[in-house]
Amino acid sequence: MAFVTRFAPSPTGYLHKGHAFSALTAWRAAREAEGRLLLRIEDIDATRCRPEFDAAIEEDLTWLGLNWETPVRRQSEHLADYQAALERLRDLGLLYRCFRTRKEVLDEIGRAPHHPGEGPDGAVFTGGPLPLAEEQVLLDRGKPFAWRLSLAAARRRLGAAWDRLRFTEVGQGEVQARPESAGDVVLARKDVGVAYHLAVVFDDALQGVTHVIRGLDLYEATHIQRLLQALLDLPTPLYRHHALLTGPDGRRFAKRDHSQTLRELRDSGVTAEQLRADLGFGAR
Ligand code: GLU
């Protein structure tokens, strides 16, 4: 079976040890399977992505000793593709406009008698669309809106297939997807015009990714992405979510831990060999 995996960082900070672990995991899996490793730059969020972080990605990965196929796909160059996928879902009646601000969403959830709590994307929102007349008033006023996926509409569309939404977690077997735990996720942000889940699902299919290897922090995202694959008639790759690397204090690495960025480590004299060995990827 062909084996295609990818490492898909967002240039919102310098790569840190956690990214190195993830990239090495994907790279080793591709090598063992005599497969292909792709690098995808997930830079749709122009408000948070920065060119210097983008430029550093390939430099840091090369230093680490990795190689990948070119050309590298940059999501910001394909916004029209994601827009088309979004329109398809909208034409199917699966999306609705959400004019609420983040604060309004949180307040609304807080007011609900049994609020469903927090989902992988933050607040779980299932408020549904506004009445048409109210919506028209806001549209006329030019109020910005996001597009949300209506779980209720998605469930109606899939019918009995909803209960058969599954994905394979390598080493564990079939997992029943539970997209409802995330609520009505945003598929197009007010500011960016597209959102993470849609771009990832579209690209994984377009690039023929057979194995998505990424951290457990994205496990919940897989449940939503599985639903999007079903709605857009896209294939479902196999998934492998690896444990997250934690520092000595037990906390996972994050972009704010500057001391653990690959460039800081390199500047402080750590060699790529040492880092690889430290992360459990000793012999090349
Ligand atoms: N771009 C995402 C991130 O940096 C990863 C997306 C993915 O692996 O599916 O967190």
Side-chain angles (χ1 to χ4, degrees), residues 89-163:
L89 294 174
R90 200 180 56 202
D91 291 348
L92 291 169
L94 301 176
L95 306 184
Y96 64 87
R97 292 184 182 88
C98 179
F99 294 88
R100 296 160 176 91
T101 60
R102 198 176 147 66
K103 182 171 180 316
E104 282 164 355
V105 169
L106 291 174
D107 287 352
E108 202 156 317
I109 291 168
R111 270 203 308 273
H114 301 289
H115 72 86
E118 291 276 313
D121 286 347
V124 170
F125 181 78
T126 50
L130 290 175
L132 278 180
E134 261 180 64
E135 182 170 300
Q136 197 54 52
V137 172
L138 298 178
L139 282 176
D140 290 345
R141 266 193 227 149
K143 188 158 187 213
F145 57 86
W147 287 103
R148 283 185 186 269
L149 175 69
S150 162
L151 281 181
R155 193 187 271 269
R156 274 196 301 278
R157 173 153 181 94
L158 293 185
W162 176 277
D163 296 319

Side-chain angles (χ1 to χ4, degrees), residues 54-104:
D54 191 331
I57 290 174
E58 294 198 46
E59 202 180 299
D60 290 347
L61 294 177
T62 303
W63 170 76
L64 198 57
L66 301 195
N67 46 5
W68 53 89
E69 279 190 12
T70 50
V72 171
R73 185 170 170 89
R74 263 202 171 62
Q75 290 191 325
S76 59
E77 294 168 3
H78 303 280
L79 297 179
D81 289 349
Y82 313 132
Q83 200 60 43
L86 187 80
E87 272 160 30
R88 191 160 154 213
L89 294 174
R90 200 180 56 202
D91 291 348
L92 291 169
L94 301 176
L95 306 184
Y96 64 87
R97 292 184 182 88
C98 179
F99 294 88
R100 296 160 176 91
T101 60
R102 198 176 147 66
K103 182 171 180 316
E104 282 164 355

Side-chain angles (χ1 to χ4, degrees), residues 12 21 55 60 66 94 115 130 145 147 165 167 187 189 233 243 271-272 275:
T12 53
F21 181 76
D60 290 347
L66 301 195
L94 301 176
H115 72 86
L130 290 175
F145 57 86
W147 287 103
L165 284 178
F167 61 88
L187 291 189
R189 289 170 37 174
D233 296 316
T271 66
L275 179 60

